Amino acid sequence: MAIFGRRKDNPEARMSIGDHLREFRNRAIVAGVAILLCCIIGWHYYQNIYDFIEQPFRDYQDAHPEAHVEVAFNAVTAPFNLKLKVVAWAGLILAAPVWLWQIWAFLVPGLTPREKRVGRIFVASAIVLFACGVYMGSLTFGNAVEMFISATPRGAANFADGGMYFSFVTRFILSFGLTFMLPILLLALNAVGVLKGRIMLKGWRFAVIIAVAFAAIMTPTPDVYTMFLMAVPLIVLFFGSAGLALALDAWRARKEKRERPAWMDVSDDQASAL
């Protein structure tokens, strides 16, 4: 039984289910090894990562000497468990270029040479956008943490559980990275013919509202600057995706017109040249 995809040793032959499973296993091993190696790097720089994530607490304490805020651990094993989580998170982010590439490479056997070239552009763009999103999340999470800490009543202490706090920060930063990959999803839907560029532009008002609302939820801070720091890039990325989708739609229309047989443009009541 054969399914989508072509064998590397014989491009004309279809890959069997077993071939696909072996290909998936090999790709998963490469991605896993890359993540493991990056986890080793994260283990080495764990203290630096910890200090960076905990910095909002120290900044708030310096700005409010009367407050009692700090990250605390409520179990003997909690610091070690937190270290494992932070190291795994760092490894996942650092190895993003590898596992994103492996996901694309797994789909390559079922693509034509032209689709492979386009796919490389998609993967490279996804890596860059993911890195930009992570960077933006790293810039803004401190404001969100400060806003939550500021809600502590006067005279009360805020001893944040280390595991829960770092889970919040890592999800916050990863959500930025994944959100910035939205254009790749939109262009992928356009490439398979599900979403046309004109439909994307037609719904630009809803897209802007959704982008602002999503930014407000993900950056629940009193200042508007932090919200727009996420909303504006999302809006720009959306319109950029819509523009590229329109260009791709126009290119496909011209190609289809060139390859369309001349007899198909003849009306039903017109005599054929034959």
Side-chain angles (χ1 to χ4, degrees):
M1 180 180 179
I3 54 178
F4 298 108
R6 298 175 177 83
R7 296 178 60 90
K8 294 180 180 179
D9 54 352
N10 185 6
E12 299 300 326
R14 295 287 180 177
M15 294 177 65
S16 65
I17 294 180
D19 292 331
H20 274 285
L21 292 177
R22 284 187 288 273
E23 179 76 7
F24 175 79
R25 179 198 61 193
N26 295 336
R27 299 295 177 186
I29 291 175
V30 172
V33 170
I35 294 175
L36 180 61
L37 293 176
C38 291
C39 285
I40 296 175
I41 299 176
W43 185 280
H44 181 71
Y45 291 99
Y46 168 72
Q47 189 60 48
N48 302 83
I49 299 173
Y50 179 90
D51 292 339
F52 172 74
I53 297 179
E54 194 194 23
Q55 188 63 42
F57 276 81
R58 293 194 295 270
D59 292 340
Y60 187 86
Q61 185 70 68
D62 294 339
H64 306 81
E66 74 285 356
H68 301 282
V69 295
E70 61 183 32
V71 177
F73 299 97
N74 55 11
V76 176
T77 58
F80 183 75
N81 292 335
L82 175 62
K83 186 173 185 177
L84 293 179
K85 291 180 181 179
V86 173
V87 167
W89 169 76
L92 186 65
I93 290 181
L94 292 176
V98 178
W99 56 261
L100 284 173
W101 184 268
Q102 293 304 315
I103 292 175
W104 174 82
F106 177 71
L107 302 176
V108 162
L111 303 179
T112 64
R114 183 184 65 82
E115 290 171 335
K116 292 179 182 179
R117 291 193 295 271
V118 175
R120 293 190 184 98
I121 298 175
F122 269 65
V123 174
S125 302
I127 293 173
V128 173
L129 290 173
F130 181 79
C132 292
V134 169
Y135 177 73
M136 295 293 290
S138 300
L139 291 179
T140 58
F141 86 92
N143 293 333
V145 173
E146 183 179 355
M147 190 277 295
F148 288 125
I149 296 176
S150 64
T152 304
R154 183 180 303 175
N158 190 331
F159 299 114
D161 179 80
M164 295 180 63
Y165 169 65
F166 279 84
S167 295
F168 163 75
V169 173
T170 52
R171 286 198 300 266
F172 184 90
I173 295 178
L174 281 176
S175 67
F176 266 72
L178 295 176
T179 301
F180 271 57
M181 294 173 65
L182 175 64
I184 302 300
L185 174 62
L186 295 177
L187 290 177
L189 293 176
N190 176 264
V192 298
V194 175
L195 186 63
K196 298 295 184 182
R198 57 182 178 82
I199 297 179
M200 292 172 59
L201 280 182
K202 188 176 180 180
W204 70 268
R205 294 178 181 84
F206 296 101
V208 171
I209 294 175
I210 292 174
V212 174
F214 181 81
I217 294 174
M218 294 306 301
T219 58
T221 57
D223 60 295
V224 180
Y225 168 77
T226 303
M227 182 186 71
F228 277 94
L229 194 62
M230 182 179 187
V232 172
L234 286 179
I235 295 172
V236 172
L237 290 173
F238 170 79
F239 281 104
S241 302
L244 288 176
L246 287 173
L248 290 174
D249 290 341
W251 177 80
R252 282 193 291 265
R254 290 193 299 269
K255 181 181 179 182
E256 183 179 354
K257 186 175 181 180
R258 288 195 304 267
E259 297 177 352
R260 184 183 179 89
W263 59 267
M264 294 190 66
D265 296 326
V266 178
S267 60
D268 295 338
D269 56 352
Q270 182 177 345
S272 172
L274 299 176

